[in-house]
Amino acid sequence: MTPHRNGSNGVSEFLLNCFVRSPSWQHWLSLPLSLLFLLAMGANTILLITIRLEVSLHQPMYYLLSLLSLLDMVLCLTVIPKVLAIFWFDLRSISFYACFLQMYIMNCFLAMESCTFMVMAYDRYVAICHPLRYPSIITDQFVVKAAIFILARNALLTVSIPILSARLEYCRSNVIENCICANMSVSRLSCDDVTINRLLQFAGGWTLLGSDLILIFLSYSLILRAVLRLKAEGAVAKALSTCGSHFILILFFSTILLVFVLTHVAKKKVSPDVPVLLNVLHHVIPAALNPIVYGVRTQEIKQGIQRILNKRWQ
């Protein structure tokens, strides 16, 4: 494919070539992917409305959950509609600037989601290990400061990735062998040396996501140690139930991410389309399952949804 030039130095658009080695995947994947997208958007919308309308849910823990839902929805809207447009209408073209905007949102909001999980793990640590001090530590002001930290840290530390990629000279092809504008999928089309881009992607990913996962693991280690010291009957089960939903969400997020990393490491043994598929699913599966897990496991949210439904039907 001859590159579409933007002036004399770059392309004006890219073409997203989804599953070129497994074209049949587009047919059987389009329906479940669209259903997951609708589930993600619907479930997160219901959760946000419930938390907004129910005064009993106006607590720091649910504010953090609202932030997580908003991040999930933005990630879904950034990736999935474009993927479905490729599947259904073969709309593979994406403008130069839209591609790097998508790249920035994906990197930034995934890092924000990881950081939100870390703050939620700290919330559960204080609730279990320092229950008497919880109301004075986890306040509305704490949530505001945490939200500012999540936004500022990840918005600033991920902005260099798309900027460096956008400054490369694209003189080969404009066909991206991916469903999304992933950093390295785009950068490898350049005639320039992309070593810095690779190092920045690696260092940024492990610094942001890695540090969050370490702190999450530390929080749950301290929680487990505190829980095992409880001797009152039923205290262990009650303590674990307060952080069970959050732990399940972290498993959704980290497991898909881990499998994605492992497939890249073993890319000679798996189809190149497998990491592409996992990358797409990582933007929709956690988003679809997160609100369901909290809605099913959290009695306050279930009761809030029931009260709202009862008011609407009366």
Side-chain angles (χ1 to χ4, degrees):
M1 177 68 67
T2 302
H4 294 259
R5 294 287 174 182
N6 181 12
S8 59
N9 295 321
V11 299
S12 61
E13 65 176 19
F14 294 102
L15 295 180
L16 295 167
N17 224 10
C18 269
F19 304 127
V20 289
R21 297 167 187 82
S22 310
S24 62
W25 287 16
Q26 293 193 25
H27 301 292
W28 65 258
L29 187 60
S30 60
L31 179 58
L33 189 63
S34 59
L35 292 177
L36 281 171
F37 174 69
L38 292 175
L39 177 62
M41 299 305 294
N44 281 289
T45 300
I46 291 172
L47 183 62
L48 287 170
I49 292 174
T50 302
I51 294 175
R52 173 68 180 84
L53 297 180
E54 281 297 309
V55 178
S56 61
L57 299 179
H58 293 178
Q59 301 176 30
M61 181 178 71
Y62 299 111
Y63 293 149
L64 292 172
L65 184 57
S66 298
L67 177 59
L68 184 64
S69 289
L70 287 172
L71 296 175
D72 281 337
M73 293 176 73
V74 172
L75 280 170
C76 271
L77 290 169
T78 302
V79 173
I80 306 304
K82 181 59 180 177
V83 175
L84 292 176
I86 295 171
F87 287 176
W88 291 340
F89 310 111
D90 199 34
L91 298 177
R92 298 186 297 144
S93 64
I94 183 170
S95 72
F96 183 86
Y97 295 107
C99 184
F100 291 104
L101 177 61
Q102 185 191 64
M103 183 188 298
Y104 175 65
I105 293 174
M106 288 189 301
N107 282 282
C108 179
F109 278 69
L110 279 174
M112 285 186 187
E113 194 168 67
S114 173
C115 194
T116 303
F117 281 130
M118 183 264 291
V119 175
M120 293 173 75
Y122 176 71
D123 169 83
R124 294 299 85 200
Y125 161 73
V126 177
I128 300 296
C129 300
H130 304 283
L132 298 179
R133 297 176 58 196
Y134 181 84
S136 61
I137 296 176
I138 309 298
T139 61
D140 291 350
Q141 290 76 17
F142 168 83
V143 175
V144 172
K145 292 177 182 177
I148 294 173
F149 170 74
I150 292 168
L151 177 64
R153 187 198 78 163
N154 299 292
L156 293 175
L157 294 183
T158 58
V159 71
S160 57
I161 294 175
I163 288 178
L164 284 178
S165 294
R167 290 171 63 88
L168 296 172
E169 183 178 358
Y170 294 93
C171 56
R172 294 175 183 169
S173 169
N174 68 332
V175 179
I176 301 171
E177 301 295 339
N178 206 328
C179 296
I180 57 179
C181 289
N183 178 33
M184 295 318 302
S185 296
V186 178
S187 298
R188 67 168 57 103
L189 302 179
S190 170
C191 300
D192 297 334
D193 183 9
V194 296
T195 302
I196 295 179
N197 296 68
R198 292 179 182 275
L199 291 175
L200 187 63
Q201 182 78 38
F202 179 82
W206 285 107
T207 300
L208 296 177
L209 302 184
S211 61
D212 291 340
L213 288 175
I214 289 172
L215 291 173
I216 290 170
F217 177 78
L218 177 61
S219 296
Y220 274 96
S221 298
L222 295 173
I223 288 172
L224 183 61
R225 187 182 69 172
V227 165
L228 293 177
R229 291 178 178 177
L230 297 175
K231 297 181 180 179
E233 184 177 353
V236 173
K238 184 177 179 180
L240 291 177
S241 67
T242 64
C243 55
S245 299
H246 178 241
F247 187 71
I248 293 173
L249 302 192
I250 293 172
L251 286 180
F252 286 149
F253 181 83
S254 58
T255 301
I256 298 180
L257 192 62
L258 179 62
V259 173
F260 174 64
V261 171
L262 291 177
T263 53
H264 264 290
V265 173
K267 57 185 175 182
K268 293 183 179 180
K269 299 181 180 180
V270 299
S271 168
D273 286 332
V274 173
V276 174
L277 174 62
L278 291 173
N279 208 343
V280 171
L281 293 179
H282 188 242
H283 289 84
V284 66
I285 289 181
L289 296 181
N290 288 352
I292 294 176
V293 169
Y294 255 97
V296 169
R297 291 183 55 88
T298 307
Q299 191 67 26
E300 292 82 1
I301 292 179
K302 285 195 293 186
Q303 292 174 350
I305 294 174
Q306 290 172 356
R307 282 194 291 267
I308 291 174
L309 290 176
N310 290 334
K311 290 178 183 178
R312 291 290 180 265
W313 286 105
Q314 285 178 355

